[in-house]
Amino acid sequence: MKFIEIKNCYKIYKNGVSAIADLNLEIKKGEFVFVIGPTASGKSTFIKMLYREEKPTKGEVIVGGINVAKLRNSKVYKLRRKLGVVFQDFKLLPKLTVYENVSFGLESLGIKNEEIKPKVFKALEKVGLKDKYRSFPDQLSGGEQQRVCIARAIVNGPKLLICDEPTGNLDPDTSKEIMKVIEKINQEGTTVVMATHDRDIVNRMKKRVIVIDNGVLTGDYEKGGYKVHESN
Ligand code: ADP
Ligand code: MG
């Protein structure tokens, strides 16, 4: 079953930079997809179009039946409810506890108060951080902070988990742990789209690999490895 559909998609930024050109792609429900490519090839732009951080200049982006490009600003929450996003820099709120960082935003999604607590603890349990719910971000290691971000991303049971270089700031062992968590979430049915340039992770996990080079799709491999022409 199709979950993400990209048709003849272009993104030209206001300054004239063409970041994505004629992208066509389908991702099925439950898939795990790596998006790889050299720096500035358009990986983040592609990712941002999935959650409507950026609109395509031309073409269609459909996520879970929602026509993302055409979505009115007032309806973007309907899309965001279906997905969670994890970034390279943790973007946790420093003055909030782990619990509060994960629960923050659930109220505005219209989740009832009595449902919030069990959802937060379930998410923290999934990432192995239930015991640290009262800690503050600066009391946690980098890997733990990233696990809080994953908990925050999955707390409302999204159909799609989007990750942009989630291991970019982590050492190899911690990256492995983070990938175990993300893989488990995928095995439980969540579609995962992850931009990365972590060669070891991509080679080890043998998932679908999409290669974007200079804004153009140059490869799509079923159980791929890390094949990127790095010019530097
Ligand atoms: P990647 O994630 O693969 O490193 P990006 O999608 O971030 O690549 O960037 C692709 C190209 O688009 C780059 O040339 C970058 O400089 C440009 N770009 C990214 N964001 C913007 C923006 N907001 N405005 C103008 N140009 C941008
Ligand atoms: Mg990027």
Side-chain angles (χ1 to χ4, degrees):
M1 206 170 98
K2 267 182 267 181
F3 185 65
I4 296 173
E5 215 177 337
I6 315 282
K7 286 190 211 160
N8 307 111
C9 189
Y10 290 77
K11 177 68 189 182
I12 300 163
Y13 284 107
K14 283 196 192 90
N15 60 358
V17 171
S18 165
I20 291 289
D22 200 17
L23 185 65
N24 289 280
L25 196 61
E26 280 181 14
I27 293 173
K28 291 191 199 76
K29 199 160 183 280
E31 266 193 287
F32 191 123
V33 183
F34 284 123
V35 180
I36 67 169
T39 303
S41 61
K43 302 182 294 297
S44 293
T45 301
F46 164 64
I47 293 257
K48 284 175 184 167
M49 289 195 293
L50 297 178
Y51 65 97
R52 239 301 270 281
E53 178 72 16
E54 294 289 350
K55 269 190 197 182
T57 311
K58 212 170 99 185
E60 274 186 68
V61 174
I62 295 163
V63 174
I66 295 178
N67 192 330
V68 177
K70 292 217 175 103
L71 200 60
R72 288 161 176 248
N73 285 338
S74 63
K75 301 277 189 238
V76 168
Y77 75 94
K78 290 195 172 180
L79 170 72
R80 301 274 169 88
R81 264 205 311 226
K82 286 180 187 268
L83 54 85
V85 192
V86 176
F87 303 96
Q88 172 170 1
D89 50 340
F90 309 126
K91 296 191 201 297
L92 291 171
L93 298 165
K95 293 198 168 138
L96 299 187
T97 63
V98 164
Y99 180 94
E100 289 161 347
N101 265 286
V102 176
S103 64
F104 188 84
L106 278 180
E107 239 171 283
S108 61
L109 286 179
I111 311 295
K112 290 194 204 98
N113 242 328
E114 64 265 29
E115 288 175 22
I116 289 179
K117 201 168 157 189
K119 273 182 192 282
V120 172
F121 279 112
K122 198 173 150 205
L124 285 174
E125 186 156 33
K126 263 191 197 156
V127 302
L129 273 184
K130 211 174 163 187
D131 295 343
K132 301 226 165 161
Y133 74 99
R134 292 164 94 169
S135 300
F136 289 91
D138 66 0
Q139 298 171 319
L140 302 175
S141 70
E144 287 172 332
Q145 291 183 47
Q146 193 57 299
R147 283 193 271 153
V148 178
C149 294
I150 296 171
R152 180 180 60 186
I154 61 161
V155 66
N156 200 30
K159 302 265 184 295
L160 173 64
L161 180 63
I162 295 171
C163 308
D164 196 353
E165 312 262 8
T167 61
N169 284 336
L170 304 172
D171 62 70
D173 284 344
T174 310
S175 299
K176 263 188 203 170
E177 277 172 35
I178 291 295
M179 290 319 299
K180 271 189 204 151
V181 172
I182 295 175
E183 191 171 27
K184 191 174 78 181
I185 291 163
N186 172 248
Q187 281 162 355
E188 289 170 359
T190 305
T191 307
V192 173
V193 179
M194 171 172 158
T196 186
H197 53 244
D198 192 321
R199 175 185 299 271
D200 292 340
I201 286 174
V202 174
N203 284 336
R204 194 174 57 239
M205 288 180 66
K206 305 202 168 46
K207 303 292 188 188
R208 182 175 172 193
V209 175
I210 287 167
V211 189
I212 299 181
D213 198 346
N214 216 348
V216 177
L217 183 79
T218 59
D220 187 348
Y221 308 98
E222 188 70 34
K223 285 183 179 147
Y226 194 91
K227 292 179 211 129
V228 169
H229 171 70
E230 301 277 5
S231 50
N232 48 355

